[in-house]
Amino acid sequence: MKQSQWFRLIGLAVITLTVSLAMAAQSVSASSVAGAYTKEGTNIHLFLGTSFGFILHTPGEHRPRTGNYTIDGNTLTLTEGRDVQLMLLTVQGDKLYDQDGNAWVKAAPAPAPAPPQTQASNQITIKDPAEFNAYQSASTQSDPAAKAAALESFLQAYPQSVVEGTVLNTLIDTYQQLRDVDKVLSAASRLLQTDPNNIKAILLSVLIKKDQCAKTRDAQTCDDAAALAQRGLSIPKPADRSDADWQKLTGGIYPTYRAAIALDDTVAKASRAAAAAPVTPPPPAPMPEIAPPPPPADTPPPTIALGQTTDQVTAAFGQPQKIVKLGVKQIFYYKDMKVTFTNGKVSNVE
């Protein structure tokens, strides 16, 4: 996979974490530093997963920046790819301090709702033991490829499961780990069928389709991205979210939605302009070549014989250069021949 696709997929994975944190749909990573941070006095955000970071709204940049991070003691280093250092931070409790002394404050996570049908042990309770065992087996797979296959098999076997949304959410994360954009989009689309206003699924779908639109200029793909973006812009603030938390979340994702809508409009205008442009008729087909006339048939050389008249000789050899008349005799002189006529008929040829 190309490097640009690699970074994009990392970005998608981190955005998933961002939305999950904002919506509190899943538990936060066990890492002590994982979470959402805001640079004091700015609208710049930093999201840290278990091994990757995501800077949103960096001044002068419209695209998010992502990379892996490492921790050495209390020093956190965020790098883009292998070599480009994005940020060096010092970890102090719930705050991070950059090299310029700016504080990055960690947002307190919202309380996560209890999963559907749970027991005190926090294990999902499914009435059918076979379904429960299948879910447990699939969701606890450690290998991403095996986990994705097991979760897909679970959804096929139990399409009406109470944990369908949870499984699709996990599938999105798993396919991101596998860097499979098409399957991320597929899982997100299926999640939107059961939860039409799922912010995580909408955002990922818009990002993927917007990228495809920019590359292919396919009208339907661009329209799909814009329609999903419009849906994302119209989602009302949940009653249990504070205005400040909602503004942080939407401040990070609304620019992506608006960019997708603007791109769709640009592609549509270009398509209309191309349709309205006068069509230049194709040049006329070249005329077929006319075959040259056949060569004339071989003409026999002119002949002269005794007894021919003066008219016959003239017809065959043309007018003589000189004519001498001697009584009943008449002599025609040609360049290479002398013809004597007696009483108007050839009597000798020299």
Side-chain angles (χ1 to χ4, degrees), residues 17 118-119 131 148 150 160 162 181 188 190 203 227 320:
L17 173 65
T118 60
Q119 295 178 330
E131 179 183 350
Q160 303 299 323
V162 293
V181 174
R190 285 179 284 167
L203 179 58

Side-chain angles (χ1 to χ4, degrees), residues 86-340:
L86 297 180
M87 191 178 297
L88 186 66
L89 299 164
T90 301
V91 182
Q92 293 187 11
D94 288 339
K95 288 188 177 183
L96 306 175
Y97 292 89
D98 58 31
Q99 291 173 299
D100 297 326
N102 300 303
W104 296 71
V105 182
K106 187 174 185 180
Q117 300 188 16
T118 60
Q119 295 178 330
S121 63
N122 290 327
Q123 291 183 338
I124 296 176
T125 301
I126 301 175
K127 294 181 180 180
D128 181 359
E131 179 183 350
F132 175 79
N133 291 335
Y135 171 76
Q136 285 291 91
S137 176
S139 60
T140 55
Q141 294 283 340
S142 58
D143 177 69
K147 185 173 185 178
L151 290 172
E152 292 285 11
S153 297
F154 175 84
L155 289 176
Q156 290 181 0
Y158 305 100
Q160 303 299 323
S161 175
V162 293
V163 293
E164 179 185 10
T166 301
V167 171
L168 288 170
N169 220 317
T170 305
L171 266 176
I172 291 175
D173 298 337
T174 306
Y175 284 135
Q176 287 175 355
Q177 288 181 277
L178 295 171
R179 301 190 290 276
D180 192 327
V181 174
D182 291 337
K183 290 186 177 180
V184 169
L185 182 59
S186 172
S189 299
R190 285 179 284 167
L191 182 56
L192 288 175
Q193 293 176 8
T194 61
D195 184 5
N197 288 337
N198 187 285
I199 296 178
K200 172 181 177 178
I202 291 175
L203 179 58
L204 288 172
S205 299
V206 170
L207 281 167
I208 295 172
K209 286 184 174 290
K210 173 177 171 288
D211 181 61
Q212 294 173 344
C213 168
K215 292 177 179 177
T216 65
R217 299 286 165 160
D218 176 67
Q220 187 59 57
T221 301
C222 300
D223 289 346
D224 291 345
L228 286 164
Q230 290 284 10
R231 186 195 300 186
L233 290 172
S234 66
I235 294 176
K237 180 180 76 67
D240 60 346
R241 300 295 296 172
S242 68
D243 290 341
D245 288 343
W246 185 246
Q247 287 177 1
K248 286 182 181 180
L249 175 63
T250 56
I253 61 178
Y254 278 7
T256 298
Y257 293 159
R258 296 189 181 101
I261 295 170
L263 178 59
D264 178 56
D265 185 56
T266 299
V267 172
K269 286 180 179 178
S271 178
R272 289 194 296 269
V279 178
T280 303
M287 294 291 292
E289 294 185 3
I290 300 175
D298 293 340
T299 304
T303 60
I304 189 169
L306 294 175
Q308 287 182 332
T309 64
T310 55
D311 290 339
Q312 289 175 321
V313 173
T314 303
F317 294 95
Q319 292 295 328
Q321 296 177 337
K322 183 172 63 172
I323 299 175
V324 176
K325 295 181 179 181
L326 299 171
V328 296
K329 289 186 177 183
Q330 192 176 13
I331 302 172
F332 282 10
Y333 287 91
Y334 289 93
K335 181 179 180 181
D336 54 358
M337 183 175 60
K338 182 176 74 170
V339 183
T340 302

Side-chain angles (χ1 to χ4, degrees), residues 46 55 76-79 84-89 98-99 104:
L46 170 66
I55 305 174
L76 184 150
T77 305
L78 176 65
T79 57
V84 181
Q85 180 175 305
L86 297 180
M87 191 178 297
L88 186 66
L89 299 164
D98 58 31
Q99 291 173 299
W104 296 71

Side-chain angles (χ1 to χ4, degrees), residues 4 7-15 18 44-47 53-67 78 80 86 203 207 210 252-253 255-256 259:
S4 60
F7 287 131
R8 179 171 295 279
L9 287 165
I10 294 176
L12 294 180
V14 182
I15 291 172
T18 303
I44 304 174
H45 306 285
L46 170 66
F47 300 93
F54 174 84
I55 305 174
L56 191 64
H57 275 188
T58 302
E61 293 183 343
H62 298 289
R63 297 181 62 182
R65 306 189 67 186
T66 64
L78 176 65
E80 185 175 54
L86 297 180
L203 179 58
L207 281 167
K210 173 177 171 288
I253 61 178
T256 298

